[in-house]
């Protein structure tokens, strides 16, 4: 009898501490267990777990900024400036497919491919209008996420990855000045970077019973120059988000981002920087702040268990641009994530 009671006591103790250990960890099995859908590399997985994801992003750029001030299109065109053409709007759509796999509790592997399509509307100094288009597969990203710790309902992990230049930097289209021939399109209309770019990030996560918080510092570094004799600017950002767990299947989030993009280095010799503002590398790079509101729907049980639907709408708060550039407007991101 004493042996039975002793064994029962040991079993109960082990169950208690096991439950306490699980409850003491940051958990992805909540609607707010993932960041807003626009944030990449925000979470890791346990040993042997897979996750597949699809994201759709729509981003619109419209009107002009000179520095941080909104200016009319005429401000960028002759005789007020040197340019013959300015863009007026650029909507962009991106489809992203991703996969994650954890060979251990410490390490998660990630790969992401994307398909982009862009249009750019223009106006000339003579009052004419035209549109150029570009589409195709962009650069492919692979990364390793390493978890430093997961305790006290907090997690810290780092990401080390590289962007592989699978996207085109030779997109062409017909313009009124080149018709009927195609000419190479300016930098914002190119689909890839043309360079092998390291991507680094550090993410901290914290959970409470009804709330969760995350912050992520991220940078993309451009190395060397591509075959067209330029490289895009380095990117730096700090993302912060707070989410409310409304139910076991629904959470709401708010996100705030500060960021900077360096100027383009070098220049494509096939582009005339006096023709259109997007062909002049002086009109590249910026500092910015934006904010987003979103929600996550999470299937915590049943046949669709571990399926997650996320949505976020974001708007710029501040943007200070080098030279004159299109203003960033609304960005909307919709995505599905399925873990198994």
């Amino acid at each position: 009898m004493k042996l039975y009671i002793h064994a029962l006591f040991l079993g109960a103790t082990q169950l208690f501490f096991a439950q306490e250990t699980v409850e003491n960890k940051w958990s992805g099995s909540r609607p707010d267990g993932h960041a807003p859908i626009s944030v990449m590399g925000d979470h890791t997985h346990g040993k042997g777990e897979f996750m597949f994801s699809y994201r759709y992003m729509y981003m619109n750029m419209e009107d002009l900024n000179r520095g941080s001030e909104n200016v009319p299109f005429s401000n960028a065109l002759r005789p007020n400036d040197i340019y013959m053409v300015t863009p007026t709007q650029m909507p962009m759509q991106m489809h992203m497919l991703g996969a994650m796999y954890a060979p251990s509790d410490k390490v998660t592997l990630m790969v992401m491919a994307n398909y982009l399509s862009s249009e750019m509307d223009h106006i000339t100094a003579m009052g004419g209008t035209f549109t150029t288009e570009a589409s195709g597969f962009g650069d492919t990203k692979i990364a390793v996420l390493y978890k430093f710790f997961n305790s006290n309902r907090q997690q810290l992990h780092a990401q080390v990855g590289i962007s592989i230049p699978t996207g085109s930097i030779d997109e062409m289209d017909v313009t009124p000045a080149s018709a009927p021939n195609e000419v190479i399109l300016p930098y914002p209309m190119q689909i890839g970077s043309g360079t092998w770019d390291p991507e680094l990030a550090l993410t901290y996560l914290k959970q409470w019973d009804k709330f969760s918080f995350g912050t992520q510092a991220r940078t993309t570094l451009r190395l060397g120059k591509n075959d067209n004799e330029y490289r895009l600017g380095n990117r730096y950002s700090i993302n912060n988000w707070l989410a409310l767990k409304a139910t076991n299947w629904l959470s709401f989030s708010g996100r705030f981002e500060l960021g900077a993009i360096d100027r383009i280095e070098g220049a494509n010799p096939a582009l005339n920087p006096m023709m259109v503002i997007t062909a002049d590398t002086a009109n590249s790079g910026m500092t910015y702040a934006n904010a987003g509101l979103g929600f996550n729907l999470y299937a915590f049980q049943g046949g669709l268990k571990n399926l997650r639907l996320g949505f976020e709408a974001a708007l710029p708060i501040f943007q200070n641009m080098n030279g004159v550039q299109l203003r960033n407007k609304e960005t909307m991101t919709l995505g599905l994530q399925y873990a198994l």
Side-chain angles (χ1 to χ4, degrees), residues 7 18 50 72 98 103 121 131 197 259 262 271 300:
F50 286 89
D121 297 330
T131 300
D197 304 327
D262 291 339
L271 292 171
F300 64 95

Side-chain angles (χ1 to χ4, degrees), residues 263-305:
R263 273 195 177 99
I264 295 171
E265 295 288 335
N268 187 337
L271 292 171
N272 179 358
M274 297 178 65
M275 178 59 68
V276 56
I277 68 170
T278 48
D280 187 350
T281 59
N283 303 318
S284 64
M286 61 185 294
T287 56
Y288 65 89
N290 62 52
L293 294 174
F295 64 82
N296 282 346
L297 297 174
Y298 175 64
F300 64 95
Q301 61 185 5
L304 296 178
K305 185 178 180 181

Side-chain angles (χ1 to χ4, degrees), residues 106 146-152 154-157 204-205:
K106 287 284 190 179
Y146 181 81
K147 185 193 306 178
F148 294 108
F149 67 81
N150 184 351
S151 61
N152 297 322
Q154 302 174 83
Q155 178 170 307
L156 180 69
H157 66 267
Y204 169 77
L205 305 169

Side-chain angles (χ1 to χ4, degrees), residues 256-259 286-291 315-320:
F256 177 74
E257 180 186 15
L258 287 170
M286 61 185 294
T287 56
Y288 65 89
N290 62 52
L315 289 171
I317 297 175
F318 169 79
Q319 42 195 327
N320 186 13

